[in-house]
């Protein structure tokens, strides 16, 4: 990566995503007429761990970071969720992301609870050897609460399959034997699951997202050919989604990352843009495209808007400028509660994160199952089961939304909260 632009904290990120997560839960609890005790059980994380992570840098000096692991709920099975390396990580952000993981797993009927982890670090400022030491120390600090039957981390912003390989190796070395299923999103060589268009497990998340985006287009009577899309975030989720949508015939007119965005009305050449971003570390400077601001991308007149970067990018201040007909949330929590209300008033169809980006956790589940059985499926088997689950999720959310006359997000949250509450009730309260 050669880009040197500093990453500032976007103003919208100063808003607390936990407020949005809690307000979504409160609305669901009210609709379901749950009492205050049940509300509190669903709102509070079951377990939280915050750790210090000292790093000996390559030059011999020492930096100390803070890391967290929050297990929001494990009533339906082991906790599951990504690990984020970002300078913006806070405990409240991790709490919100862990809660959304609980709902996502329940909604897609994956037998997990929700968790999330994060280290407050800007990974671009550290060498691979330094990142390996940070990852290993973080893993060893949270080791008592993770494991294939307890809590299974996966990649998220700023982490990847290499990070997962280090986590798996650190855990395995500590317990004295190889435990592939302690993490998912591993390299295929270590037991990662095959995906459809890619030889690595990371290749499937975006395909699931694109399936949902295409289903949403069809729901609005649009075909891929002739439809337009703008994608914010050009990482594991956004870049793949842009590529798959372009392959499906959608004209991807704009793509952005943390440094800015590029726009071409006739449609970007996504494979060439991928090569450019790979080479330069950013989408900016892509030949033949106009440079536009990140905010401008969110306000383009397109059929599909896919925020696939960070939370809170669609907020009270810009929601009324959104001209897209459909927003498909690739990122977790990209739309604040106020923006959600505004978009609904404008008639924008918002496909919520806990449905739209669930491909990641579904394939993680497949990887965990394969690891536990030590028996690997073919790419076609993975793809077929993923597509079936995603489209089942879409159909059931749509049906609930129609029946209850609520938004897709309300329908998705209600379904998920109800399943988790049912697990609580069936298990009973100990002692
Ligand atoms: P990533 O680190 O691979 O990519 C993040 C992208 O967002 C990068 O292109 C980065 O430049 C861009 N970005 C960061 N801050 C930005 C800003 N303020 N404005 C515009 N762009 C910005 O991360 P990822 O794994 O692709 O995750 C992206 C989102 O998707 C996150 O919300 C994550 O929680 C969610 N998600 C990831 C997965 C997964 O399996 N990786 C699964 C489900 C959901």
């Amino acid at each position: 990566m050669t880009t040197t632009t500093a990453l500032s904290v976007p103003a919208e990120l100063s808003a607390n995503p936990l407020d949005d997560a809690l307000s979504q839960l409160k609305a669901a609890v009210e609709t379901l007429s749950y009492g205050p005790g049940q509300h509190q059980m669903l709102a509070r994380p079951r377990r939280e761990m915050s750790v210090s992570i000292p790093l000996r840098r390559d030059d011999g000096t020492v930096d100390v970071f803070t890391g967290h692991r929050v297990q929001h709920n494990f009533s339906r099975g082991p906790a599951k969720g990504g690990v984020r390396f970002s300078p913006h990580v806070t405990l409240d952000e991790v709490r919100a992301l862990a809660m959304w993981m609980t709902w996502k797993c329940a909604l897609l009927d994956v037998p997990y609870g929700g968790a999330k982890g994060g280290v407050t670090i800007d990974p671009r400022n550290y060498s691979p050897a330094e990142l390996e030491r940070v990852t290993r120390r973080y893993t060893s600090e949270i080791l008592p609460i993770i494991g294939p039957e307890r809590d299974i981390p996966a990649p998220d912003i700023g982490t990847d399959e290499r990070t997962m390989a280090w986590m798996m190796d650190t855990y395995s070395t500590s317990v004295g034997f190889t435990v592939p299923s302690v993490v998912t999103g591993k390299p295929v060589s270590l037991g990662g699951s095959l995906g459809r268009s890619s030889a690595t497990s990371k290749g499937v998340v975006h395909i699931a997202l694109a399936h949902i985006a295409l289903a949403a287009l069809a729901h609005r009577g649009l075909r891929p050919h002739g439809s337009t899309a703008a994608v914010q975030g050009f990482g594991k989720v956004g870049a793949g989604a842009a590529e798959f949508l372009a392959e499906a015939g959608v004209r991807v007119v704009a793509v952005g990352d943390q440094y800015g965005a590029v726009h071409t009305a006739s449609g970007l050449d996504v494979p060439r843009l991928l090569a450019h971003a790979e080479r330069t570390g950013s989408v900016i400077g892509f030949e033949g495209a106009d440079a536009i601001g990140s905010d401008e991308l969110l306000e383009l007149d397109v059929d599909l808007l896919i925020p696939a970067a960070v939370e809170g990018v669609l907020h009270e201040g810009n929601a009324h400028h959104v001209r897209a007909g459909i927003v498909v949330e690739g990122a977790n929590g990209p739309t604040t509660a106020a923006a959600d209300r505004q978009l609904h008033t404008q008639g924008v169809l918002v496909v919520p994160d806990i449905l739209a980006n669930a491909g990641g956790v579904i394939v993680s589940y497949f990887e965990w199952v394969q690891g536990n059985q030590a028996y690997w499926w073919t790419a076609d088997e993975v793809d077929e089961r993923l597509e079936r689950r995603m489209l089942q999720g879409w159909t059931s959310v749509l049906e609930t939304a129609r029946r209850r006359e609520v938004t897709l997000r309300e329908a998705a949250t209600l379904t998920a909260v109800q399943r988790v509450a049912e697990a609580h009730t069936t298990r009973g309260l100990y002692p």
Side-chain angles (χ1 to χ4, degrees):
M1 177 162 306
T2 54
T3 309
T4 52
T5 317
L7 174 62
S8 59
V9 183
E12 58 275 11
L13 282 189
S14 55
N16 189 341
L18 187 57
D19 294 341
D20 291 325
L22 287 171
S23 92
Q24 289 159 7
L25 172 64
K26 186 163 178 281
V29 161
E30 280 168 7
T31 307
L32 295 165
S33 307
Y34 291 164
Q38 205 157 9
H39 184 184
Q40 280 309 302
M41 289 220 304
L42 294 163
R44 291 199 196 171
R46 273 296 283 276
R47 188 181 284 152
E48 299 185 339
M49 192 171 191
S50 292
V51 297
S52 285
I53 306 162
L55 162 73
R56 188 174 303 285
R57 298 212 57 178
D58 293 341
D59 66 6
T61 59
V62 173
D63 281 357
V64 183
F65 305 100
T66 300
H68 309 283
R69 186 75 188 167
V70 174
Q71 296 168 347
H72 170 256
N73 193 286
F74 34 81
S75 293
R76 300 181 71 256
K80 182 90 190 78
V83 173
R84 180 172 289 197
F85 281 7
S86 154
H88 310 307
V89 165
T90 64
L91 182 53
D92 270 359
E93 182 192 56
V94 179
R95 285 173 173 149
L97 292 163
M99 184 184 291
W100 285 322
M101 281 305 297
T102 303
W103 310 147
K104 194 183 298 183
C105 293
L107 178 66
L108 275 298
D109 213 6
V110 173
Y112 293 137
K116 202 79 182 189
V119 178
T120 314
I121 182 174
D122 189 341
R124 295 166 307 162
N125 297 336
Y126 296 87
S127 70
E130 290 171 333
L131 290 175
E132 177 174 353
R133 291 198 286 277
V134 168
T135 304
R136 288 185 181 279
R137 183 63 186 251
Y138 170 66
T139 309
S140 78
E141 293 292 340
I142 63 165
L143 203 112
I145 64 166
I146 61 170
E149 288 156 348
R150 298 176 187 192
D151 179 359
I152 308 133
D156 194 78
I157 292 179
T159 56
D160 56 18
E161 57 179 32
R162 186 181 54 171
T163 322
M164 294 304 112
W166 292 329
M167 290 191 82
M168 181 272 218
D169 182 68
T170 307
Y171 184 91
S172 299
T173 308
S174 301
V175 298
F177 53 95
T178 298
V179 188
S181 296
V182 63
V183 292
T184 59
K186 298 179 290 292
V188 170
S189 59
L190 292 180
S193 180
L194 291 175
R196 172 198 194 147
S197 69
S198 151
T200 69
S201 55
K202 70 181 176 187
V204 292
V205 181
H206 60 268
I207 291 174
L209 177 65
H211 276 315
I212 292 294
L214 295 175
L217 279 177
H219 176 66
R220 283 278 163 115
L222 297 165
R223 292 167 189 276
H225 284 272
S227 298
T228 51
V231 183
Q232 185 195 49
F234 207 54
K236 293 183 287 300
V237 177
E243 192 181 15
F244 190 85
L245 286 173
E247 275 170 23
V250 174
R251 190 149 41 94
V252 179
V253 296
V255 161
D257 61 21
Q258 62 202 337
Y259 307 105
V262 289
H263 176 254
T264 304
S266 57
L268 295 158
D269 181 340
V270 180
R272 270 190 54 231
L273 180 58
L274 278 164
H276 169 86
E278 183 79 16
R279 207 173 50 250
T280 66
S282 171
V283 298
I284 56 172
F286 182 54
E287 204 185 320
D290 301 322
I292 58 168
S294 292
D295 288 347
E296 232 180 304
L297 177 144
L298 299 171
E299 298 169 11
L300 288 171
D301 188 4
V302 285
D303 297 307
L304 271 178
L305 173 62
I306 304 196
V310 287
E311 55 269 18
V313 294
L314 295 172
H315 47 85
E316 211 168 3
N318 65 3
H320 57 287
H321 293 307
V322 169
R323 286 184 288 162
I326 303 167
V327 173
V328 180
E329 296 185 333
N332 287 308
T335 312
T336 65
D340 216 20
R341 285 190 293 275
Q342 175 62 32
L343 292 173
H344 179 59
T345 311
Q346 284 165 223
V348 179
L349 182 76
V350 179
V351 185
D353 45 9
I354 60 171
L355 170 65
N357 70 33
V361 79
I362 292 176
V363 177
S364 278
Y365 167 52
F366 293 167
E367 181 177 332
W368 179 78
V369 168
Q370 293 170 77
N372 287 337
Q373 297 179 334
Y375 182 79
W376 276 265
W377 308 347
T378 64
D380 282 348
E381 280 169 320
V382 172
D383 181 43
E384 187 264 316
R385 290 171 198 203
L386 170 69
E387 186 173 348
R388 187 152 27 96
R389 274 185 179 256
M390 287 303 288
L391 295 179
Q392 265 169 6
W394 161 259
T395 311
S396 104
V397 169
L398 207 58
E399 194 272 316
T400 306
R402 280 190 181 131
R403 185 167 38 84
R404 288 188 173 262
E405 297 182 349
V406 293
T407 65
L408 295 182
R409 187 187 316 282
E410 286 162 341
T413 311
L414 277 173
T415 307
V417 168
Q418 209 167 7
R419 285 187 184 156
V420 177
E422 198 182 315
H424 278 184
T425 311
T426 313
R427 285 179 63 155
L429 197 58
Y430 172 82

